[in-house]
Amino acid sequence: VFKAASFPYKISLPLCALGCGFGGMSVHFQTAGLVKEFGLSLKKYFLGKMFFSFSMLLGTLFFKNLL
């Protein structure tokens, strides 16, 4: 049985930041409905979310020594 508490901190914190930055599929499906309704670009939204989530990941990798 895999226990999340035993997962190394150096790996779990960046993965958590990546997940929080991405926001989840439910958020993206809800946003897709609004974006389509107003004629905005879903591709730009998705690329922006990916950029933000990877910047969160890199931020935790860079600043993890400060914690």
Side-chain angles (χ1 to χ4, degrees):
V1 176
F2 178 75
K3 293 184 179 182
S6 65
F7 212 62
Y9 176 73
K10 291 182 178 185
I11 296 173
S12 62
L13 181 64
L15 288 177
C16 182
L18 180 68
C20 289
F22 187 70
M25 293 306 294
S26 177
V27 172
H28 295 297
F29 286 132
Q30 291 173 17
T31 304
L34 291 173
V35 165
K36 194 174 191 179
E37 182 180 328
F38 291 105
L40 302 172
S41 171
L42 186 60
K43 183 178 180 181
K44 288 180 182 178
Y45 167 77
F46 188 73
L47 289 174
K49 277 302 252 191
M50 292 303 296
F51 175 76
F52 178 71
S53 61
F54 281 111
S55 67
M56 294 277 292
L57 172 72
L58 292 175
T60 57
L61 292 173
F62 183 71
F63 290 112
K64 69 182 176 187
N65 295 328
L66 298 176
L67 297 175

mmCIF file of all heavy atoms in Angstrom, residues 2-3 5 12-13 21 26-29 32 36 46-47 49 55 57-58 60 62-63 66:
data_model
loop_
_atom_site.group_PDB
_atom_site.id
_atom_site.type_symbol
_atom_site.label_atom_id
_atom_site.label_comp_id
_atom_site.label_asym_id
_atom_site.label_seq_id
_atom_site.Cartn_x
_atom_site.Cartn_y
_atom_site.Cartn_z
ATOM 1 N N PHE A 2 0.629 2.119 -0.946
ATOM 2 C CA PHE A 2 1.402 3.360 -1.052
ATOM 3 C C PHE A 2 0.841 4.401 -0.099
ATOM 4 O O PHE A 2 -0.353 4.646 -0.066
ATOM 5 C CB PHE A 2 1.332 3.880 -2.493
ATOM 6 C CG PHE A 2 2.051 5.174 -2.687
ATOM 7 C CD1 PHE A 2 3.424 5.211 -2.742
ATOM 8 C CD2 PHE A 2 1.342 6.347 -2.801
ATOM 9 C CE1 PHE A 2 4.074 6.406 -2.926
ATOM 10 C CE2 PHE A 2 1.982 7.545 -2.981
ATOM 11 C CZ PHE A 2 3.369 7.582 -3.039
ATOM 12 N N LYS A 3 1.700 5.010 0.661
ATOM 13 C CA LYS A 3 1.271 6.057 1.589
ATOM 14 C C LYS A 3 1.873 7.382 1.150
ATOM 15 O O LYS A 3 3.079 7.502 0.989
ATOM 16 C CB LYS A 3 1.717 5.719 3.010
ATOM 17 C CG LYS A 3 1.027 4.505 3.562
ATOM 18 C CD LYS A 3 1.428 4.268 4.990
ATOM 19 C CE LYS A 3 0.697 3.059 5.519
ATOM 20 N NZ LYS A 3 1.013 2.808 6.910
ATOM 21 N N ALA A 5 2.179 10.046 2.825
ATOM 22 C CA ALA A 5 2.981 10.667 3.880
ATOM 23 C C ALA A 5 4.432 10.221 3.818
ATOM 24 O O ALA A 5 5.317 10.944 4.265
ATOM 25 C CB ALA A 5 2.384 10.342 5.240
ATOM 26 N N SER A 12 7.337 15.682 -3.176
ATOM 27 C CA SER A 12 5.908 15.928 -2.957
ATOM 28 C C SER A 12 5.544 17.410 -3.023
ATOM 29 O O SER A 12 4.483 17.758 -3.535
ATOM 30 C CB SER A 12 5.455 15.334 -1.625
ATOM 31 O OG SER A 12 6.128 15.940 -0.542
ATOM 32 N N LEU A 13 6.386 18.298 -2.520
ATOM 33 C CA LEU A 13 6.081 19.730 -2.552
ATOM 34 C C LEU A 13 6.017 20.269 -3.988
ATOM 35 O O LEU A 13 5.042 20.930 -4.347
ATOM 36 C CB LEU A 13 7.075 20.525 -1.716
ATOM 37 C CG LEU A 13 6.843 22.030 -1.666
ATOM 38 C CD1 LEU A 13 5.512 22.335 -0.987
ATOM 39 C CD2 LEU A 13 7.978 22.713 -0.928
ATOM 40 N N GLY A 21 -1.225 24.671 -9.255
ATOM 41 C CA GLY A 21 -1.109 25.644 -10.333
ATOM 42 C C GLY A 21 -1.989 25.300 -11.520
ATOM 43 O O GLY A 21 -2.554 26.167 -12.161
ATOM 44 N N SER A 26 -11.830 19.823 -13.805
ATOM 45 C CA SER A 26 -13.169 20.401 -13.654
ATOM 46 C C SER A 26 -13.152 21.900 -13.952
ATOM 47 O O SER A 26 -14.035 22.420 -14.637
ATOM 48 C CB SER A 26 -13.688 20.150 -12.246
ATOM 49 O OG SER A 26 -14.927 20.756 -12.062
ATOM 50 N N VAL A 27 -12.139 22.571 -13.449
ATOM 51 C CA VAL A 27 -11.993 24.011 -13.688
ATOM 52 C C VAL A 27 -11.838 24.281 -15.184
ATOM 53 O O VAL A 27 -12.444 25.206 -15.725
ATOM 54 C CB VAL A 27 -10.785 24.571 -12.905
ATOM 55 C CG1 VAL A 27 -10.496 26.007 -13.295
ATOM 56 C CG2 VAL A 27 -11.003 24.434 -11.418
ATOM 57 N N HIS A 28 -11.058 23.459 -15.855
ATOM 58 C CA HIS A 28 -10.806 23.671 -17.280
ATOM 59 C C HIS A 28 -12.050 23.407 -18.125
ATOM 60 O O HIS A 28 -12.296 24.108 -19.103
ATOM 61 C CB HIS A 28 -9.637 22.824 -17.752
ATOM 62 C CG HIS A 28 -8.343 23.233 -17.115
ATOM 63 N ND1 HIS A 28 -7.787 24.470 -17.301
ATOM 64 C CD2 HIS A 28 -7.528 22.583 -16.257
ATOM 65 C CE1 HIS A 28 -6.671 24.565 -16.596
ATOM 66 N NE2 HIS A 28 -6.512 23.423 -15.954
ATOM 67 N N PHE A 29 -12.839 22.404 -17.738
ATOM 68 C CA PHE A 29 -14.070 22.140 -18.489
ATOM 69 C C PHE A 29 -15.081 23.264 -18.291
ATOM 70 O O PHE A 29 -15.776 23.659 -19.232
ATOM 71 C CB PHE A 29 -14.674 20.801 -18.083
ATOM 72 C CG PHE A 29 -13.920 19.616 -18.615
ATOM 73 C CD1 PHE A 29 -13.577 18.568 -17.782
ATOM 74 C CD2 PHE A 29 -13.545 19.553 -19.948
ATOM 75 C CE1 PHE A 29 -12.880 17.475 -18.268
ATOM 76 C CE2 PHE A 29 -12.847 18.467 -20.445
ATOM 77 C CZ PHE A 29 -12.509 17.417 -19.600
ATOM 78 N N ALA A 32 -13.855 26.161 -20.330
ATOM 79 C CA ALA A 32 -14.022 25.912 -21.768
ATOM 80 C C ALA A 32 -15.412 26.327 -22.227
ATOM 81 O O ALA A 32 -15.572 26.870 -23.328
ATOM 82 C CB ALA A 32 -13.774 24.439 -22.079
ATOM 83 N N LYS A 36 -15.759 29.389 -24.961
ATOM 84 C CA LYS A 36 -16.436 29.133 -26.232
ATOM 85 C C LYS A 36 -17.613 30.086 -26.422
ATOM 86 O O LYS A 36 -17.856 30.587 -27.516
ATOM 87 C CB LYS A 36 -16.919 27.694 -26.251
ATOM 88 C CG LYS A 36 -17.332 27.189 -27.591
ATOM 89 C CD LYS A 36 -17.644 25.699 -27.517
ATOM 90 C CE LYS A 36 -17.800 25.117 -28.891
ATOM 91 N NZ LYS A 36 -18.069 23.685 -28.833
ATOM 92 N N PHE A 46 -5.294 27.608 -21.964
ATOM 93 C CA PHE A 46 -4.640 26.388 -21.535
ATOM 94 C C PHE A 46 -3.126 26.561 -21.472
ATOM 95 O O PHE A 46 -2.483 26.112 -20.526
ATOM 96 C CB PHE A 46 -5.022 25.229 -22.461
ATOM 97 C CG PHE A 46 -4.544 23.905 -21.978
ATOM 98 C CD1 PHE A 46 -5.144 23.292 -20.898
ATOM 99 C CD2 PHE A 46 -3.486 23.275 -22.600
ATOM 100 C CE1 PHE A 46 -4.696 22.066 -20.438
ATOM 101 C CE2 PHE A 46 -3.029 22.054 -22.162
ATOM 102 C CZ PHE A 46 -3.639 21.443 -21.073
ATOM 103 N N LEU A 47 -2.545 27.230 -22.461
ATOM 104 C CA LEU A 47 -1.099 27.468 -22.449
ATOM 105 C C LEU A 47 -0.705 28.367 -21.269
ATOM 106 O O LEU A 47 0.337 28.156 -20.648
ATOM 107 C CB LEU A 47 -0.643 28.086 -23.767
ATOM 108 C CG LEU A 47 -0.662 27.152 -24.969
ATOM 109 C CD1 LEU A 47 -0.334 27.935 -26.243
ATOM 110 C CD2 LEU A 47 0.308 26.016 -24.783
ATOM 111 N N LYS A 49 -2.294 28.506 -18.372
ATOM 112 C CA LYS A 49 -2.387 27.684 -17.166
ATOM 113 C C LYS A 49 -1.185 26.752 -17.051
ATOM 114 O O LYS A 49 -0.670 26.528 -15.958
ATOM 115 C CB LYS A 49 -3.671 26.851 -17.177
ATOM 116 C CG LYS A 49 -4.881 27.580 -16.706
ATOM 117 C CD LYS A 49 -4.700 28.109 -15.305
ATOM 118 C CE LYS A 49 -5.510 27.338 -14.315
ATOM 119 N NZ LYS A 49 -5.568 27.974 -13.002
ATOM 120 N N SER A 55 5.640 27.275 -13.696
ATOM 121 C CA SER A 55 6.360 28.297 -12.924
ATOM 122 C C SER A 55 6.222 28.030 -11.432
ATOM 123 O O SER A 55 7.158 28.270 -10.662
ATOM 124 C CB SER A 55 5.878 29.698 -13.283
ATOM 125 O OG SER A 55 4.550 29.900 -12.875
ATOM 126 N N LEU A 57 5.968 25.001 -10.183
ATOM 127 C CA LEU A 57 6.867 23.869 -9.994
ATOM 128 C C LEU A 57 8.310 24.345 -9.882
ATOM 129 O O LEU A 57 9.031 23.969 -8.956
ATOM 130 C CB LEU A 57 6.724 22.888 -11.159
ATOM 131 C CG LEU A 57 7.723 21.739 -11.204
ATOM 132 C CD1 LEU A 57 7.424 20.733 -10.111
ATOM 133 C CD2 LEU A 57 7.697 21.074 -12.556
ATOM 134 N N LEU A 58 8.725 25.188 -10.813
ATOM 135 C CA LEU A 58 10.101 25.695 -10.780
ATOM 136 C C LEU A 58 10.357 26.558 -9.547
ATOM 137 O O LEU A 58 11.451 26.527 -8.992
ATOM 138 C CB LEU A 58 10.404 26.479 -12.060
ATOM 139 C CG LEU A 58 10.469 25.649 -13.328
ATOM 140 C CD1 LEU A 58 10.644 26.559 -14.539
ATOM 141 C CD2 LEU A 58 11.582 24.632 -13.258
ATOM 142 N N THR A 60 9.051 26.185 -6.556
ATOM 143 C CA THR A 60 9.287 25.334 -5.393
ATOM 144 C C THR A 60 10.626 24.623 -5.485
ATOM 145 O O THR A 60 11.283 24.416 -4.479
ATOM 146 C CB THR A 60 8.172 24.280 -5.213
ATOM 147 O OG1 THR A 60 8.066 23.507 -6.390
ATOM 148 C CG2 THR A 60 6.855 24.948 -4.887
ATOM 149 N N PHE A 62 13.276 25.878 -6.906
ATOM 150 C CA PHE A 62 14.300 26.893 -6.689
ATOM 151 C C PHE A 62 14.352 27.341 -5.233
ATOM 152 O O PHE A 62 15.421 27.555 -4.672
ATOM 153 C CB PHE A 62 14.036 28.090 -7.602
ATOM 154 C CG PHE A 62 15.075 29.163 -7.521
ATOM 155 C CD1 PHE A 62 16.342 28.970 -8.035
ATOM 156 C CD2 PHE A 62 14.785 30.366 -6.907
ATOM 157 C CE1 PHE A 62 17.301 29.961 -7.954
ATOM 158 C CE2 PHE A 62 15.734 31.360 -6.813
ATOM 159 C CZ PHE A 62 16.998 31.167 -7.339
ATOM 160 N N PHE A 63 13.185 27.512 -4.604
ATOM 161 C CA PHE A 63 13.128 28.071 -3.261
ATOM 162 C C PHE A 63 12.979 27.022 -2.156
ATOM 163 O O PHE A 63 12.820 27.384 -1.003
ATOM 164 C CB PHE A 63 11.979 29.074 -3.143
ATOM 165 C CG PHE A 63 12.222 30.325 -3.916
ATOM 166 C CD1 PHE A 63 11.463 30.611 -5.031
ATOM 167 C CD2 PHE A 63 13.224 31.206 -3.547
ATOM 168 C CE1 PHE A 63 11.691 31.751 -5.763
ATOM 169 C CE2 PHE A 63 13.456 32.363 -4.266
ATOM 170 C CZ PHE A 63 12.685 32.642 -5.377
ATOM 171 N N LEU A 66 15.022 27.354 0.997
ATOM 172 C CA LEU A 66 14.754 28.440 1.903
ATOM 173 C C LEU A 66 13.756 28.054 3.001
ATOM 174 O O LEU A 66 13.641 28.755 3.999
ATOM 175 C CB LEU A 66 14.199 29.643 1.145
ATOM 176 C CG LEU A 66 15.131 30.246 0.085
ATOM 177 C CD1 LEU A 66 14.411 31.365 -0.653
ATOM 178 C CD2 LEU A 66 16.393 30.761 0.735
#
